[in-house]
Amino acid sequence: MRLEIESKWIVLNKKKDLWLNHLKDFPETTYLNDIEWANHLEIFGWKTLRLIKIKNSDNSKTLLQAFIKFLPLSTAVIWIPGGIIGDLRNIVGLQEEIKKMLKVRFCIIRVRFTKVYNCLDEIELIKNKWQRPWMPFTSRFKVLLKLDNSIESLRKNFSRNWRRGLKKSSNSKLRITRINSYETVANLYKDMRLNKGLKLKDIYSEKECKSIFFAFKKKLLILGAEDEFNNICSIRGVIIRNGVLHDIFAATNNIGRLSSASHLILATLIEKGINKGNKEYDLSYIDPENSLGVYNFKKGLGGKVINTLGEFEWTNSFFLRILINLYSKFK
């Protein structure tokens, strides 16, 4: 189906099949662009807005899935975690168009691009009055691991520390099992938060775990490590989408850390991913400056560190810019 529209944004909220068909044209999309993620966020009060623009003159296409929270005083916060997909030359006037659609006076739009950095994309965004946030939600760097070789071949690229951790966990009394309970995941996050003094933003709550389980159902693969007393001491979970494993859950308690349980789980996940014919593992974001341990753990698999285009924002309220950036820092 072809939309005979020139330079106009069209809302696709009620045309889910059409939205999914358009997503198929863009391999850079992730689960953050999917309807399941929208269903998850709607549980927490976010409203969804799916937009597409097709220019018939050059057959270019641009689309986005935004999430909105309305505030008092005709104000809205808009979050686009899956990025603006497609041709960025079509984003002229996008901010004002969104503000008009939402019928608000003030708004701030934060977008995170997962695509690989390209200076031409950044120039296009700057031309259209987007700017880098003072305090981004996440790092711009992530690790991608190709799964087009056997597990034996991949293990040759593991760092020495990673092989040491894997050997330690393999020689332990741990047993890998599949996790089908959101309570198990949530309880391990609670345990980890108490033991490591983490902030609420660093873990998934029980309500969030339940929502993700319900939204993605059969697309989830979560493995856990049982200790000798049949207690789960570590978990890791992925969303499987179009041949790619996407990290979603990862939690380990003190017992799991002492036995390097996360190494055994991740190696098992990789092996299962290869056996199922998946081609890539998106290990999500890394922050070498503020979380060196996580960086070394993910990089130790031998994957490629990707510099993504990252986050940009636009607002017509300086107060909102201050508010959201302070929230990014202290939440």
Side-chain angles (χ1 to χ4, degrees):
M1 178 178 179
R2 184 175 180 180
L3 298 175
E4 294 299 324
I5 298 294
E6 187 72 13
S7 301
K8 182 178 179 181
W9 290 97
I10 302 298
V11 178
L12 290 184
N13 282 22
K14 295 182 180 180
K15 299 179 180 180
K16 295 181 179 180
D17 290 340
L18 187 57
W19 175 257
L20 295 176
N21 285 335
H22 285 301
L23 286 184
K24 293 176 182 178
D25 295 334
F26 300 95
E28 70 268 27
T29 59
T30 74
Y31 66 90
L32 297 169
N33 305 107
D34 289 340
I35 293 171
E36 290 95 335
W37 192 250
N39 293 339
H40 161 59
L41 288 189
E42 286 172 3
I43 298 294
F44 299 89
W46 292 92
K47 304 297 182 182
T48 304
L49 178 64
R50 299 186 188 95
L51 298 177
I52 186 168
K53 177 188 281 190
I54 298 177
K55 290 182 66 175
N56 293 336
S57 57
D58 58 7
N59 203 33
S60 63
K61 186 188 302 184
T62 310
L63 58 157
L64 63 91
Q65 178 169 251
F67 304 103
I68 303 104
K69 278 197 174 180
F70 293 98
L71 305 177
L73 304 176
S74 188
T75 302
V77 174
I78 300 101
W79 172 225
I80 311 175
I84 301 171
I85 306 300
D87 195 334
L88 294 184
R89 293 175 299 175
N90 292 335
I91 65 172
V92 178
L94 171 62
Q95 303 98 311
E96 290 293 339
E97 187 69 21
I98 290 176
K99 186 165 72 73
K100 181 180 177 181
M101 288 179 179
L102 300 180
K103 299 179 181 179
V104 293
R105 184 178 179 186
F106 304 106
C107 71
I108 183 167
I109 308 172
R110 177 75 69 91
V111 56
R112 180 177 64 201
F113 293 89
T114 60
K115 64 194 296 187
V116 176
Y117 176 81
N118 183 313
C119 66
L120 295 179
D121 289 332
E122 181 160 21
I123 290 170
E124 198 66 45
L125 288 162
I126 293 172
K127 279 169 49 181
N128 286 281
K129 301 180 181 180
W130 295 87
Q131 59 181 271
R132 293 283 183 188
W134 300 328
M135 299 289 175
F137 293 146
T138 56
S139 164
R140 290 171 56 182
F141 299 99
K142 63 165 51 182
V143 175
L144 297 180
L145 180 67
K146 294 294 183 182
L147 302 181
D148 48 5
N149 290 312
S150 66
I151 185 63
E152 291 78 15
S153 298
L154 286 178
R155 287 186 179 187
K156 293 178 182 178
N157 295 323
F158 291 175
S159 69
R160 184 172 63 177
N161 285 340
W162 223 97
R163 288 195 297 268
R164 185 184 298 120
L166 181 57
K167 181 178 180 181
K168 180 180 179 181
S169 57
S170 298
N171 292 334
S172 69
K173 297 181 180 180
L174 296 175
R175 184 173 69 89
I176 301 299
T177 184
R178 183 158 185 172
I179 303 296
N180 295 305
S181 164
Y182 71 85
E183 292 96 340
T184 301
V185 176
N187 288 336
L188 200 58
Y189 269 116
K190 292 177 186 176
D191 192 2
M192 187 173 71
R193 178 175 178 247
L194 290 174
N195 290 330
K196 298 182 70 175
L198 299 175
K199 297 179 181 179
L200 285 174
K201 71 170 185 175
D202 297 320
I203 69 167
Y204 283 107
S205 68
E206 182 170 337
K207 185 176 180 180
E208 288 173 314
C209 291
K210 181 179 180 180
S211 176
I212 292 171
F213 264 72
F214 180 78
F216 287 93
K217 298 177 181 177
K218 295 182 180 181
K219 292 183 179 181
L220 277 175
L221 173 60
I222 305 171
L223 299 183
E226 283 186 341
D227 62 23
E228 56 185 316
F229 304 106
N230 298 323
N231 297 314
I232 299 295
C233 61
S234 182
I235 62 95
R236 195 171 201 99
V238 295
I239 293 172
I240 303 176
R241 181 186 187 274
N242 297 336
V244 179
L245 309 183
H246 295 270
D247 252 354
I248 186 71
F249 295 126
T252 302
N253 64 19
N254 287 336
I255 294 175
R257 280 189 288 276
L258 289 173
S259 58
S260 298
S262 54
H263 291 74
L264 184 59
I265 291 177
L266 188 47
T268 306
L269 262 178
I270 292 171
E271 186 171 7
K272 286 183 176 294
I274 292 173
N275 292 339
K276 289 178 178 293
N278 296 289
K279 299 301 181 183
E280 191 173 61
Y281 192 154
D282 183 342
L283 287 149
S284 193
Y285 294 94
I286 53 172
D287 188 348
E289 183 177 354
N290 298 308
S291 188
L292 185 59
V294 173
Y295 165 74
N296 287 330
F297 179 74
K298 293 182 178 182
K299 183 66 173 63
L301 288 166
K304 185 177 181 180
V305 176
I306 301 297
N307 179 20
T308 68
L309 186 55
E311 295 179 30
F312 287 83
E313 68 182 11
W314 175 91
T315 183
N316 61 345
S317 167
F318 187 70
F319 172 76
L320 274 178
R321 174 165 287 134
I322 294 175
L323 183 66
I324 294 301
N325 279 274
L326 285 176
Y327 174 79
S328 302
K329 182 176 182 180
F330 296 110
K331 69 172 180 174

